[in-house]
Structure formats: structure tokens, C-alpha cells
Amino acid sequence: MQSGSKGQVILAGVVLGALLGGLMAWVIASREEADGTPLRELGPSDYFQLGMGILGLARQFGSMLRNT
């Protein structure tokens, strides 16, 4: 992989990640508006579980790319 294409891949990942995060926030906010009930607050264990899920997904994605 050339350094130019590596930069493009990283930039594409950043843009796609930001779009996905924005979409998730929009869906959650519109659900809260429709129901009228506030979302529950997240605790430290919730953030830990979220982080572990994201790391697991990144690991799985990386292994998929290496095995092809």
C-alpha cells in the first residue's frame, strides 16, 4: 500500500465514522422527541461495554481484511 492510498483510506474511515456517529445521534434524538421521554444516563460500565464492542468490531474487520 502506498502512503498516498493509506492517507485516503484513513480519511475515508474518519469521514464514514463521523457520518455513522451523526446518524446514530440523529436517530436517538428523533426517538426521544417522538416518545417525549428522556433517555437514561449512561454509567461507566455502559461506556466500557461500548468500548469493548467497538474494539471487537475493529478486530473482526481487521481480520477480515487480512484473510482475503
Side-chain angles (χ1 to χ4, degrees), residues 4-68:
S5 64
K6 182 179 179 181
Q8 290 175 342
V9 169
I10 291 172
L11 181 61
V14 168
V15 170
L16 289 174
L19 288 174
L20 182 61
L23 178 65
M24 290 175 59
W26 178 72
V27 166
I28 290 170
S30 57
R31 221 174 92 183
E32 182 180 5
E33 287 176 359
D35 293 347
T37 57
L39 299 173
R40 74 176 185 91
E41 292 189 26
L42 298 177
S45 65
D46 296 319
Y47 287 112
F48 179 76
Q49 289 177 355
L50 180 62
M52 294 305 291
I54 291 171
L55 288 175
L57 181 63
R59 183 177 176 200
Q60 183 179 8
F61 186 68
S63 79
M64 286 171 51
L65 292 177
R66 274 187 244 131
N67 291 333
T68 58

